[in-house]
């Protein structure tokens, strides 16, 4: 039995990938097997980085990539208007098709695995997640269940006919980090899911987060056993994970939530170009920036940017005049 970690990445998120790999090395284990699933063919920097890490390899199973891209395409072709909408917007295939490659882990090299988006830092052991996979097929640790709007089409009149309210309030999850097993979604199960979607259920999918909505549907509709630590841990032990939480305390390059060490920090909502600009020397401030820079330059501190000017906030609130001009469609 081989356990491991999958990360979806390409050169666009190179700086974030390096920070993530270093955080895994320090906080989860130096020799943890890691496989990078390519978002697309922009991989020059990624391949160069892998050469320096004996425990990291590139996912090269083109058959699995084809299987999951075909499956994702078929899913969205069942949707009543997504395909046409994307075509009209000039998107030749599925919107963000590369994001759907995360599903390749279900046909990958690891028996049990944890999938990670590249915009994450690992800040604690992952052993307890792997242990939970001994009794469940799918494991997460997040609070997405509090917000349905980024998972399913909340305006769909069919949503409650497919999933009762109680399940919608308790089972949805963020697709940025999850644990699962190889073979959980085999061909028979994929065909079953497609048949359900073809019968009208595709309407509930949320087209602006195409991979996340599919994964939620796959897990919930197939009926596999799932577990969310955020809903099962005692309130005195549960921690947050999102960069939008301002109250985490930093100690020794780790984060604590009301005294409890958090497992991971997800820089969700922050664009890759922000991280790239900072690494290029632009002094832009964002939450937990120093933590990111610590792990990004862990092994090459001499390359860490030195800022001498006052930092700029990563979000600039437009003034009233700018907002009015923008609303009127005028240039400023």
């Amino acid at each position: 039995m081989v356990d491991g970690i999958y990360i979806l990445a390409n050169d666009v998120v190179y700086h974030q990938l390096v920070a993530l790999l270093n955080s895994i090395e320090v906080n989860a284990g130096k020799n943890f097997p890691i496989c990078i699933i390519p978002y697309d063919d922009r991989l020059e920097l990624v391949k160069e980085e892998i050469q320096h890490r004996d425990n990291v390899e590139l996912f090269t199973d083109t058959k699995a990539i084809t299987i999951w891209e075909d499956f994702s395409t078929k899913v969205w072709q069942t949707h009543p208007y997504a395909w046409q909408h994307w075509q009209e917007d000039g998107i030749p295939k599925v919107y963000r098709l590369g994001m759907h490659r995360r599903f390749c882990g279900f046909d990958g090299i690891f028996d049990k695995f944890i999938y990670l988006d590249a915009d994450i830092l690992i800040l604690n052991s992952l052993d307890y997640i792997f242990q939970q996979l001994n009794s469940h097929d799918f494991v997460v640790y997040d609070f997405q269940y509090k917000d349905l709007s980024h998972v399913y089409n909340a305006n769909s009149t069919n949503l409650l006919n497919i999933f009762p309210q109680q399940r919608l309030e308790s089972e949805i999850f963020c697709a940025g980090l999850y644990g699962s097993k190889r073979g959980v979604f085999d061909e028979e199960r994929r065909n079953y899911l497609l048949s359900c979607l073809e019968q009208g259920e595709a309407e509930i999918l949320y087209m602006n987060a195409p991979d996340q909505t599919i994964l939620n549907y796959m897990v919930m509709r197939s009926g596999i056993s799932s577990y969310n630590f955020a809903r099962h841990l005692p309130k005195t032990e549960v921690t947050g994970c999102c960069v939008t939480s301002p109250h985490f305390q930093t100690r020794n390059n780790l984060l604590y939530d009301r005294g409890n060490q958090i497992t991971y920090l997800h820089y969700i909502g922050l664009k890759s170009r922000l991280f790239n600009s900072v690494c290029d020397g632009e002094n832009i401030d964002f939450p937990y920036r120093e933590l990111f820079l610590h792990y990004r330059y862990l092994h090459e501190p001499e390359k860490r940017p030195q800022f001498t000017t006052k930092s700029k906030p990563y979000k600039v609130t437009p003034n009233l005049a700018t907002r009015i001009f923008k609303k009127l469609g005028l240039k400023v």
Side-chain angles (χ1 to χ4, degrees):
M1 297 289 288
V2 179
D3 298 344
I5 295 171
Y6 292 108
I7 302 170
L8 183 69
N10 64 4
D11 286 351
V12 176
V13 296
Y14 167 73
H15 291 296
Q16 293 163 280
L17 174 63
V18 173
L20 173 54
L21 291 174
N22 288 341
S23 72
I24 293 172
E25 174 186 328
V26 173
N27 300 314
K30 186 173 183 179
N31 299 314
F32 225 112
I34 300 172
C35 186
I36 309 296
I37 300 174
Y39 179 91
D40 56 24
D41 295 331
R42 293 174 288 179
L43 297 168
E44 182 178 346
L45 295 174
V46 172
K47 290 179 178 178
E48 183 178 346
E49 181 65 29
I50 287 176
Q51 291 179 2
H52 308 296
R53 299 176 184 268
D54 294 336
N55 62 316
V56 185
E57 62 182 292
L58 190 67
F59 188 89
T60 58
D61 187 344
T62 56
K63 180 180 178 181
I65 291 175
T66 299
I67 286 173
W68 284 104
E69 286 192 343
D70 287 349
F71 171 77
S72 302
T73 300
K74 290 176 181 177
V75 166
W76 286 110
Q77 286 175 332
T78 68
H79 196 274
Y81 53 82
W83 193 262
Q84 180 181 352
H85 177 81
W86 291 333
Q87 300 297 308
E88 292 174 352
D89 282 353
I91 301 172
K93 297 181 180 180
V94 174
Y95 174 52
R96 298 170 71 185
L97 182 60
M99 296 296 288
H100 298 75
R101 290 187 175 189
R102 73 185 62 217
F103 304 150
C104 290
F106 297 115
D107 284 317
I109 59 177
F110 302 131
D111 297 290
K112 292 188 297 183
F113 66 86
I114 292 175
Y115 166 85
L116 303 171
D117 278 348
D119 60 342
I120 281 175
L121 292 178
I122 294 300
L123 302 171
N124 208 337
S125 171
L126 299 173
D127 291 348
Y128 73 100
I129 297 178
F130 282 108
Q131 291 170 3
Q132 195 64 40
L133 287 171
N134 292 329
S135 53
H136 293 84
D137 291 325
F138 197 85
V139 178
V140 295
Y141 190 173
D142 66 72
F143 298 84
Q144 187 67 53
Y145 64 87
K146 296 183 178 182
D147 180 13
L148 172 72
S149 64
H150 289 83
V151 175
Y152 291 121
N153 175 11
N155 296 320
S156 169
T157 57
N158 200 27
L159 184 57
L160 289 175
N161 295 327
I162 301 170
F163 300 123
Q165 188 68 35
Q166 187 275 332
R167 295 191 67 191
L168 293 172
E169 293 176 354
S170 62
E171 294 184 28
I172 64 175
F173 55 86
C174 173
L177 180 152
Y178 56 87
S180 194
K181 304 172 184 177
R182 179 171 57 189
V184 167
F185 292 104
D186 57 14
E187 183 177 9
E188 181 180 358
R189 186 161 274 163
R190 293 196 302 270
N191 289 336
Y192 165 73
L193 292 168
L194 283 173
S195 69
C196 294
L197 292 165
E198 289 168 351
Q199 293 171 24
E201 295 188 9
E203 174 197 344
I204 73 171
L205 299 180
Y206 178 63
M207 54 188 288
N208 290 329
D211 51 289
Q212 177 164 277
T213 190
I214 288 179
L215 187 57
N216 271 266
Y217 179 84
M218 288 166 59
V219 172
M220 294 179 65
R221 195 65 174 89
S222 63
I224 64 173
S225 59
S226 61
Y227 184 95
N228 188 343
F229 283 98
R231 290 188 51 80
H232 290 89
L233 286 176
K235 290 184 178 180
T236 55
E237 297 179 15
V238 70
T239 68
C241 59
C242 287
V243 70
T244 51
S245 298
H247 64 278
F248 297 152
Q249 295 179 317
T250 305
R251 296 202 302 268
N252 299 320
N253 302 305
L254 300 172
L255 288 182
Y256 293 81
D257 184 355
R258 299 179 181 86
N260 295 309
Q261 184 176 337
I262 76 171
T263 299
Y264 70 103
L265 179 66
H266 194 178
Y267 289 91
I268 191 167
L270 302 188
K271 303 294 185 181
S272 58
R273 62 176 175 267
L274 170 64
F275 295 86
N276 296 337
S277 295
V278 169
C279 291
D280 287 340
E282 192 172 351
N283 193 1
I284 308 173
D285 193 22
F286 60 86
Y288 308 107
R289 184 184 76 168
E290 292 305 306
L291 194 69
F292 164 75
L293 290 172
H294 167 77
Y295 286 105
R296 166 60 185 91
Y297 295 101
L298 184 72
H299 296 308
E300 40 191 6
E302 71 283 357
K303 294 183 179 180
R304 179 169 174 162
Q306 301 299 315
F307 305 116
T308 57
T309 60
K310 184 179 179 181
S311 64
K312 299 179 293 185
Y314 78 102
K315 282 185 178 180
V316 179
T317 303
N319 59 36
L320 179 59
T322 301
R323 295 199 301 269
I324 292 174
F325 275 107
K326 185 176 181 180
K327 187 173 183 179
L328 295 175
L330 303 175
K331 294 183 178 180
V332 293

